[in-house]
Amino acid sequence: MNLLLTGTLLAGLLTAPATPTPTATWTVKAPAGGPVATVHLDSQGSPSVAVSRGGASVLAPSPLGVTTEQADLTTGLSLTGRSSRAVVEKYTTTAGKRLDRLSVMNETRFRFARGDAKLDLVVRAARDGVAYRYELPGAGAVLGEASAFTVPAGSTAWLAGHRRDYENPFIQYADVPPAEYQMPALFGVGQNYLLLAESALNGSYTGPHLVSDQGTYKIALWDARVPYDHGLTTPWRVMVTGDLATVTESTLVDDLAPGSQLTDTSWIKPGKVLWSWLAGGRPVQQSLESQKEFVDYAAQHRWPYVLVDAGWYDDPVTGERAWTDRTAEFTWIPQLVEYGRARGVGIMVWLRFSDFDTHDKRVQRFGLLHQWGVKGVKLDFIDSEAQERLQWYDGTLRDLADNQLMVNFHGSTVPKGINRTWPQVMTMEGVHGAEKSSNLTTSHLAALPYTRNEIGSMDYTPMAFQRPSRPTSDAHELALSVVFESGLTNLAGSLEAYRARPEAERFLDQVPTVWDETRLLSGKPADHTVMARRSGDRWFIGAGVSGAARTLQVPTGFLRGRWLVEVTRDGAAGLVREPHVVQGGALAVDVPAEGGFAAIACRWRPGLTTCAR
């Protein structure tokens, strides 16, 4: 449910001729402290924005404006009006860092004109960052943005090269080479961090990426021409800033997104998913008997879902890898759904984008899946942020909701507030994840909580214990079930690998996939993460390091009173579980190179020896 409380404080209507005005500067301040956005209009009528926090520069003056087919709205602008308001929103989500949200922002709207052409710049400032967007009236086409981000010199960067499916690794840079990079992008700026991101992208616009040049990161658009017919509101350009905990725990990207399009979300149920692709590939996806084994395991451990991946609807006669008129005839998915239903396990299925690329296909095929009783789908190989593909997302999200199907998008864009607007979106790929057989490093894993996973649920697919190529220790891998957030967590282990690790099974049986609260206890991008997430009256802690063995000092002051903390860590002969009773202070945990630990904390009482329920 969304509750919007808006207080509008008119700052006065300013009038000016449609010629450049003298240099002028305005500020937009976050409520109760936080960053300050400074909007400047120079003597040529070119606007810019800068961001500071605690008096320190976080973003140097950076250009603003758009170019349309009708006018160049990057220069020659005059301010014709300005108004301010407070925006306070309470809402709930179905996934994410915390389910209940409160957003408080100050907003200023700047009305610019150049002759008859008009451009509104809307700037918001919140405790955890600053954002802006443009609004244009009438009809026309955008040809590009002047929007860019000038990061102060000497900043450290954690960036991933631009790729249409967002599946490149994050790399730490002291000096960033000229190249194209994806958003989100993270920078260490003095004592602060700055995350560049986007919110509220849909089919009315087109996707962005960053082009770097000597500390400035310009927005480049996917489409060279973006038409609009009835006015245009662009996505938000988001700058999350603060200390590392503030940035990591921020929900600003969601806060800026439109409210939910659904009135009934009772059918949306996040949870753990037993996923067999990395345990056997296509042959396992084509075997009813193999999938029944996975259902039996899920039922034994009370994991709510099994996902059948690519291959299940390949034609058994022709080998055609596409949905055909015969798919409903030969598939055994309805049998598996019934088998799972009898055991309390829901079935999800993989789908290829090209088989669902029109509304008519989706109506018929989503309807059939719903009729069978399928709970959700994994839609793959979307591979574009062009305006026409974003319009496909818009239609597909409505069609999925009409058929009560949860969705995990793969080969896709990344979350940009999508779960707030469409609560059935449980997770998205858009990550260099566990499926990669090369160039998967713990330094990349230790950058993800502050970059890709900061902006929304991430389908990394952890727990592939059977893969010799994974860079993590067993305890580090187990910790990823907490370190990484995903409304549907696709767990990639083989049944044999799970059974060989009873302490991993014990932990995974208890860990949830949605959270009431998230806290970063300790961290440094590309070096280590210690993340705590609360579900009800228990806390789950996950930690992973990149590089050498060390002793992690885990602060426990957030646990008020006396608590039992059960730590599962790497031992000489495998995973071991150790209980600790803590009351404030720090808990020291030794971890090996590339190692980590997973823990459960519950309030201690006399005689309590375990947090298990």
Side-chain angles (χ1 to χ4, degrees):
M1 180 181 72
N2 299 300
L3 175 61
L4 175 63
L5 308 174
T6 304
T8 302
L9 306 173
L10 293 179
L13 183 64
L14 308 179
T15 60
T19 56
T21 60
T23 296
T25 301
W26 307 271
T27 59
V28 184
K29 298 181 179 180
V36 176
T38 301
V39 176
H40 179 73
L41 192 67
D42 69 15
S43 60
Q44 300 303 310
S46 296
S48 64
V49 64
V51 178
S52 62
R53 189 178 186 101
S57 173
V58 176
L59 183 78
S62 302
L64 299 169
V66 298
T67 301
T68 72
E69 286 183 338
Q70 292 73 34
D72 178 0
L73 297 171
T74 68
T75 190
L77 301 179
S78 296
L79 184 73
T80 62
R82 177 166 57 97
S83 60
S84 298
R85 64 173 186 159
V87 179
V88 181
E89 294 181 302
K90 293 180 67 176
Y91 65 97
T92 61
T93 64
T94 55
K97 302 169 191 179
R98 55 182 180 273
L99 299 183
D100 294 322
R101 311 283 180 86
L102 173 64
S103 169
V104 181
M105 293 179 270
N106 286 335
E107 175 188 290
T108 297
R109 176 181 295 270
F110 300 88
R111 299 179 182 88
F112 294 112
R114 180 176 183 176
D116 294 332
K118 294 179 171 38
L119 171 71
D120 279 11
L121 169 71
V122 182
V123 180
R124 287 186 180 179
R127 179 192 63 85
D128 47 351
V130 168
Y132 67 84
R133 69 183 180 191
Y134 307 111
E135 295 184 15
L136 294 163
V142 170
L143 303 181
E145 294 186 24
S147 311
F149 307 94
T150 302
V151 179
S155 300
T156 303
W158 293 270
L159 303 173
H162 174 59
R163 177 172 153 161
R164 63 179 56 230
D165 58 7
Y166 285 85
E167 292 181 29
N168 273 332
F170 280 88
I171 298 171
Q172 179 174 315
Y173 296 96
D175 295 303
V176 178
E180 296 182 337
Y181 297 97
Q182 67 188 39
M183 298 169 73
L186 179 68
F187 302 88
V189 185
Q191 299 300 309
N192 291 297
Y193 286 83
L194 170 68
L195 184 85
L196 304 180
E198 183 181 44
S199 180
L201 175 67
N202 58 38
S204 67
Y205 208 57
T206 188
H209 61 272
L210 299 173
V211 179
S212 70
D213 183 18
Q214 298 181 338
T216 294
Y217 299 83
K218 179 174 173 52
I219 290 284
L221 300 179
W222 188 290
D223 292 305
R225 181 179 184 273
V226 187
Y228 57 94
D229 293 324
H230 305 287
L232 173 67
T233 298
T234 70
W236 292 99
R237 305 293 175 225
V238 185
M239 294 154 281
V240 184
T241 187
D243 61 19
L244 191 60
T246 298
V247 170
T248 308
E249 298 165 19
S250 169
T251 60
L252 184 59
V253 169
D254 288 340
D255 295 345
L256 290 160
S260 176
Q261 295 294 299
L262 305 184
T263 55
D264 175 21
T265 59
S266 61
W267 52 275
I268 301 171
K269 300 183 185 300
K272 294 183 284 282
V273 184
L274 188 56
W275 179 57
S276 54
W277 180 260
L278 296 187
R282 190 174 294 270
V284 174
Q285 317 313 310
Q286 295 176 327
S287 169
L288 174 59
E289 293 309 312
S290 294
Q291 291 301 323
K292 283 182 176 180
E293 291 181 20
F294 281 88
V295 169
D296 289 340
Y297 184 91
Q300 177 188 353
H301 290 269
R302 298 184 181 179
W303 296 6
Y305 302 110
V306 163
L307 169 62
V308 186
D309 212 280
W312 68 267
Y313 63 83
D314 290 356
D315 191 303
V317 176
T318 67
E320 177 72 21
R321 294 182 178 181
W323 189 297
T324 70
D325 293 339
R326 299 186 63 242
T327 297
E329 300 173 13
F330 67 73
T331 183
W332 38 259
I333 291 295
Q335 297 177 55
L336 185 65
V337 170
E338 289 303 316
Y339 188 85
R341 181 182 290 119
R343 291 156 180 79
V345 177
I347 303 302
M348 299 186 175
V349 296
W350 176 94
L351 305 173
R352 185 182 288 103
F353 155 77
S354 57
D355 296 321
F356 291 81
D357 57 355
T358 69
H359 175 66
D360 289 343
K361 289 179 184 177
R362 295 192 299 268
V363 168
Q364 191 274 328
R365 295 169 183 180
F366 287 162
L368 184 61
L369 294 172
H370 177 69
Q371 178 184 329
W372 289 347
V374 169
K375 298 298 183 183
V377 299
K378 174 181 173 181
L379 269 163
D380 205 349
F381 298 123
I382 305 163
D383 291 341
S384 173
E385 283 188 322
Q387 185 178 32
E388 59 84 18
R389 195 60 50 86
L390 295 172
Q391 291 169 351
W392 173 88
Y393 276 103
D394 294 343
T396 298
L397 288 161
R398 173 56 63 191
D399 295 336
L400 287 163
D402 289 344
N403 288 282
Q404 296 192 346
L405 290 170
M406 293 180 284
V407 63
N408 168 10
F409 288 113
H410 265 233
S412 65
T413 182
V414 294
K416 301 180 180 187
I418 194 171
N419 172 259
R420 181 183 179 188
T421 307
W422 295 101
Q424 78 273 27
V425 181
M426 292 283 90
T427 191
M428 306 177 83
E429 189 182 28
V431 63
H432 188 76
E435 288 188 74
K436 305 300 180 185
S437 58
S438 63
N439 201 26
L440 191 63
T441 65
T442 53
S443 62
H444 166 63
L445 269 59
L448 288 175
Y450 319 108
T451 52
R452 164 61 184 86
N453 208 190
E454 194 282 343
I455 61 172
S457 291
M458 178 181 76
D459 192 22
Y460 172 86
T461 67
M463 303 311 130
F465 292 113
Q466 72 279 3
R467 300 197 88 187
S469 61
R470 66 180 167 91
T472 54
S473 73
D474 277 6
H476 188 165
E477 191 71 23
L478 184 63
L480 298 182
S481 63
V482 179
V483 174
F484 295 159
E485 181 274 315
S486 184
L488 291 174
T489 301
N490 284 283
L491 301 175
S494 68
L495 303 185
E496 295 75 19
Y498 289 131
R499 289 169 179 148
R501 296 166 174 81
E503 288 300 339
E505 290 182 304
R506 188 178 191 274
F507 186 86
L508 292 172
D509 287 351
Q510 298 181 74
V511 69
T513 68
V514 293
W515 307 100
D516 297 309
E517 189 174 353
T518 289
R519 294 194 185 192
L520 178 67
L521 301 183
S522 177
K524 181 180 179 182
D527 180 78
H528 78 281
T529 304
V530 184
M531 191 78 74
R533 302 188 194 270
R534 181 176 62 84
S535 176
D537 59 357
R538 295 194 298 174
W539 285 88
F540 293 79
I541 304 171
V545 307
S546 177
R550 68 196 76 173
T551 299
L552 290 173
Q553 299 291 335
V554 183
T556 64
F558 71 100
L559 301 171
R560 299 184 180 277
R562 185 173 293 186
W563 288 69
L564 174 66
V565 181
E566 288 187 279
V567 175
T568 302
R569 62 173 183 82
D570 296 297
L575 293 171
V576 295
R577 177 166 42 93
E578 298 173 341
H580 303 265
V581 177
V582 303
Q583 187 170 9
L587 175 65
V589 182
D590 293 331
V591 298
E594 321 296 1
F597 71 85
I600 305 175
C602 55
R603 193 170 293 278
W604 181 86
R605 64 178 184 275
L608 183 69
T609 60
T610 179
C611 290
R613 293 174 175 171

